[in-house]
Every structure is written in structure tokens, then in C-alpha cells.
Amino acid sequence: MSLLRRFTPRGRRTLVAVTLAAAVVGGTGGWAAGSTQEAVTGPAPGAAAWRADHSLGQRLPDPAAATPADVARFFASLTEAQRQELTARHPLTVGNLDGAPVALRYRANALALKAERDRQTARATDPAGTLQDHREARRLADRYAELLRPGRQILAFDPRGRGQVAEVFGDLAAERTSVFVPGSDIDLSSSDRERDPYGTPSGMAKSLRARMAAQAPGVRTAAIAWTGYTTPVGLGPDAATGRLAEAGAPRLARFLDGLAAVGVRAPALLCHSYGTVVCAQAVPLVEPGRIADLIVFGSPGMRTDSVAALRTTARVWAARDASDWIGNVPHVEFLGLGHGTDPTDPEFGARRVPARTAEGHTGYLAPGTDSLRNFADIALGRYGQVR
């Protein structure tokens, strides 16, 4: 009699789940560094004041319920003075309102960042605070000051939790746009960093644009580093389940619909690591035709069995280099644990992107790699050059 047959059906399920958990832990180096995160959902702070504002003699679009297309039509109906007045009164709302004019969101988020910087600067010397409070306040004030540097274009900013941010590189009137969705351990403070820069959405975005400029100097490009969901921290249980992806997916879908509402051309959506789980949940929620290409790399699985199950009109591409530790993660899903089929498996149906010279889990966008060159060709629509 086999070992499994000695157990009741419930016992067998438990044993399989425990075995799977052990395999995941063993394959990734353990869960000791992981911690459970509370997902940030809903509109940014200030939505209640926005809803209560009747200064224009009409109801303002509900940040939680109005579609990006509705928001775009609303702002198109206003005078420039009215738009600026709303922005000054409700910077956090306007700055995160998908469908609002891009330039208006940049200005709104600059105002919101200044307000948060000033608030944290004051908190850093508040006698009622602890030494730890003061240190954390100074860290946040410095980070907000970095995001306020001249030339930075912040398309979304939410100070809740570990903080969320979306930054644009280039002009969104570009011929080719890309959106990057990161995996674990990325938040407002680490969306760009000097250490391991190509493991951050900002580093990836800048690297792709530089490569696209080298391959097609006459093509205008833009890239968005979207850190708009609560990512897992470490290799804890959050990284092995879909809970945070399910919370983040509607935010990503709304963001993408918002780009379309203001005339941004259908982008290439590049998703890394746990971000591929988020993208798999978001893509079916997006209107057809609003994503040109979906590129997943370093994926633990997408909680779906095939490209067809994604229900997208986008071309789907998948890459994984031979040295990426994610390849040691079991590509199974059982009782909510694990993320299922490997997108680079031929049976999944994605177009395989060579990544022979990429190294590790965060090396796909490193300069000089074939994966970076191939991603650039895909983002440029030069599909015949992918090799």
C-alpha cells in the first residue's frame, strides 16, 4: 500500500499541501525573511473630500466607481482654470485619477509629494515622537524630496502602507510605450535604487528605453515604472499565494484603461516575477486591444494554464534564463499555494524569448543581454528580430 493510500482524502490533500510548501521553501531558500502584507486598495486618501466638493455645481466623478473614460470626459468638459482649481484642492485624488490629463496628474502629484514631504519633515522633530519615529520621518521626507527633483514625472503617488508610485520616462505621446510591473520587495522607496538597479521597475524602464533608442534612433518612446500594488516582502507565504495579486490586478487594469482614455497608444506590458501573477489577473479585465504585447520574465507561474486562459488580444511572450532561481520553484498550484504552469513551457502557448546571456533573477534588462535586445525588438514591434 502506498503512503498516500494510508490517509483519508482530507489527509492526502493536507500531505500534498505540506509537501508542496516544503518544496517551495526548499527551492527558494526559506520563508524566514517573509512577512504578511496588508494590501492597499481603493482610492487614495482625500476621496471623501473630493466626493463632497460641489464647487462646480455638479457631482465629481467617484474615484472608486467612475470609469477612466468617464473621468476623461469630465475633465474635457472643464475650463483650464477649473482643472487647476480642483488639482490644488484635491492633489492626491487628481494625481491618482486614471483618465485625468497626464500633465494635470504630474502637477497634482508634485503638490501631494510636497505636502507629504513637509508633513514628514515636521514629524521628524516632533517632541511627541520616538527616535524611531524621527528616523522614519526623515527617511520618508528624503524620499519624497528625491521624487520631487526637476524632470521627474510622477503619474501616481499613494503614501499609504509602504507607498506606491508610478513614474514616466519620456513623453506619453510616444509612438511606443512600455509599462513595467515589478515583483516582490518593491515599493515607493525601492522603485528605483543604486543596488541591483535592473531589479527595479525604474531601472528596467530606463534600460529598455536606452536600448530602444540604440536600435531605433528615430522612434519616440516612453516607459512607465508602475509600482501600484502591494508587493510581497521576502519569500514568505504572500509570495506563494495569489492574494496580493488579486488585490493589485484591478488597480493595474484600471491604470491601463486610464492610459487608453487619455490617448496613449497600446503599450507593451512587461511583468517580472510575482508581477506576472498580477498581470495574469489584470489582463482579462482590460478592454481588448489596449495591450499590444505581454512579456513575462522570471515568472513563478501565472495561476493559469495557458495563453488562451488569459483572454487577451495581446501577443504573449515568456523568458527565463538558465541561472534564475525561480526555475527551482515547483510550477504547481494546490489549495491556493503555488502559481501553476511555467509560462516558458511550450504547452502554455507563449512565444519563447531567448535569454541566454541574462544572469540571475534580476538580470533580464541588464545592458548587453540578449533578453534586453529581444524585449526592445518586441516593444518596437520588430517581432521578426527576436532570436
Side-chain angles (χ1 to χ4, degrees), residues 16-311:
V16 171
V18 170
T19 303
L20 174 58
V24 172
V25 173
T28 60
W31 281 355
S35 61
T36 302
Q37 299 296 297
E38 185 67 31
V40 170
T41 59
W50 167 270
R51 293 187 188 102
D53 188 335
H54 301 294
S55 60
L56 298 183
Q58 61 178 305
R59 180 175 295 178
L60 305 185
D62 188 337
T67 68
D70 290 337
V71 172
R73 283 191 291 269
F74 167 76
F75 278 99
S77 72
L78 303 181
T79 66
E80 184 60 24
Q82 289 173 323
R83 295 189 196 105
Q84 296 298 334
E85 184 180 346
L86 285 176
T87 298
R89 282 206 303 274
H90 308 282
L92 269 175
T93 296
V94 175
N96 291 284
L97 204 53
D98 296 310
V102 170
L104 205 63
R105 291 181 68 172
Y106 291 159
R107 179 173 182 267
N109 285 313
L111 292 174
L113 281 162
K114 287 175 184 176
E116 286 296 314
R117 179 201 59 192
D118 293 347
R119 188 173 73 84
Q120 294 298 338
T121 299
R123 180 172 163 244
T125 56
D126 185 351
T130 66
L131 181 60
Q132 183 177 353
D133 292 336
H134 293 168
R135 287 175 177 169
E136 175 65 6
R138 282 194 294 271
R139 183 189 70 80
L140 287 171
D142 289 344
R143 177 56 176 158
Y144 297 148
E146 288 176 3
L147 294 172
L148 282 165
R149 288 202 307 264
R152 300 196 77 160
Q153 301 177 130
I154 307 303
L155 191 60
F157 163 63
D158 190 334
R160 293 178 295 171
R162 288 155 44 214
Q164 299 182 0
V165 64
E167 183 169 9
V168 176
F169 302 93
D171 186 339
L172 288 180
E175 299 165 69
R176 297 284 177 174
T177 300
S178 304
V179 177
F180 284 84
V181 179
S184 298
D185 300 309
I186 300 295
D187 52 34
L188 184 140
S189 295
S190 57
S191 62
D192 62 325
R193 62 185 180 222
E194 292 184 6
R195 179 184 61 81
D196 189 25
Y198 305 114
T200 71
S202 292
M204 293 178 190
K206 289 185 281 189
S207 182
L208 183 69
R209 283 196 75 222
R211 182 66 201 187
M212 291 174 73
Q215 292 176 209
V219 176
R220 293 177 295 119
T221 68
I224 304 172
W226 184 83
T227 305
Y229 79 105
T230 303
T231 68
V233 170
L235 296 171
D238 280 344
T241 67
R243 182 178 65 88
L244 294 180
E246 290 166 4
R251 300 173 73 81
L252 176 58
R254 186 179 180 87
F255 180 80
L256 293 168
D257 282 338
L259 295 180
V262 294
V264 176
R265 297 189 183 186
L269 182 62
L270 294 95
C271 314
H272 179 233
S273 193
Y274 189 84
T276 68
V277 187
V278 180
C279 289
Q281 302 291 315
V283 165
L285 306 177
V286 180
E287 290 289 330
R290 291 186 174 175
I291 304 169
D293 292 276
L294 171 62
I295 306 171
V296 300
F297 50 107
S299 175
M302 301 175 72
R303 305 185 77 80
T304 189
D305 293 330
S306 67
V307 166
L310 293 172
R311 303 196 308 276

